[in-house]
Every structure is written in structure tokens, then in C-alpha cells.
Amino acid sequence: MPRMSNATMSFALPPEMRDYVAERVASGTYGNTSEYIRELIRKDQEEQARRRLRELIEEGLASGEPVELTPTARRRLRA
């Protein structure tokens, strides 16, 4: 697998948010601002995946009466 290079991204934050990020980094929980932002993005990705799973479960529950998954039905689904 080819190695991906890190790309720089710039964005503006209001002073209150900038100070908050600086405090989180200064607390020692994160080594730098980039680590903090990457962690926020990872958490958001996980939340989006959980949300999608909940949507799929709800969709399945609302799709009608359950049907037993017999070996014959399984073969049909695979075909």
C-alpha cells in the first residue's frame, strides 16, 4: 500500500475556540493541535458509523414481518 502524505489544512477559529484547543493541548492529553483535531475527526467518524448502523437496524425492523433464514433462503440470497 502506498504511503499517504500528510496534507496541511488551514482554518480559522474564534479566539474562544482557539484558547480551548490550546488548553486541551497544554493539559498533556494531546501532543499538539493536530492530534486533537485528528481525535475529534475519528470520534465523528465513529459516531457517523454508529448512526448509520442504527438507521440500518431501524430500516430492517420497519421492513415487515421477519422471515426465517432457512438454508434454501440463504442460497437464494447468495445467488
Side-chain angles (χ1 to χ4, degrees):
M1 175 184 265
R3 183 176 176 181
M4 295 177 54
S5 64
N6 291 334
T8 299
M9 182 180 278
S10 298
F11 51 92
L13 292 175
E16 301 83 21
M17 286 185 167
R18 199 171 44 244
D19 293 344
Y20 181 80
V21 171
E23 287 173 16
R24 297 294 289 146
V25 172
S27 75
T29 305
Y30 301 96
N32 57 45
T33 302
S34 293
E35 284 182 18
Y36 180 67
I37 299 299
R38 284 191 296 270
E39 179 66 17
L40 291 177
I41 292 169
R42 279 191 290 273
K43 286 180 180 179
D44 183 60
Q45 288 173 324
E46 291 168 2
E47 175 57 32
Q48 293 305 313
R50 281 191 293 276
R51 183 174 291 147
R52 179 66 181 139
L53 180 57
R54 284 192 299 272
E55 289 171 357
L56 290 171
I57 290 169
E58 289 174 11
E59 184 180 312
L61 291 172
S63 69
E65 290 297 315
V67 177
E68 183 179 353
L69 185 59
T70 63
T72 302
R74 189 183 310 268
R75 283 191 295 278
R76 284 187 195 142
L77 286 171
R78 287 192 176 145

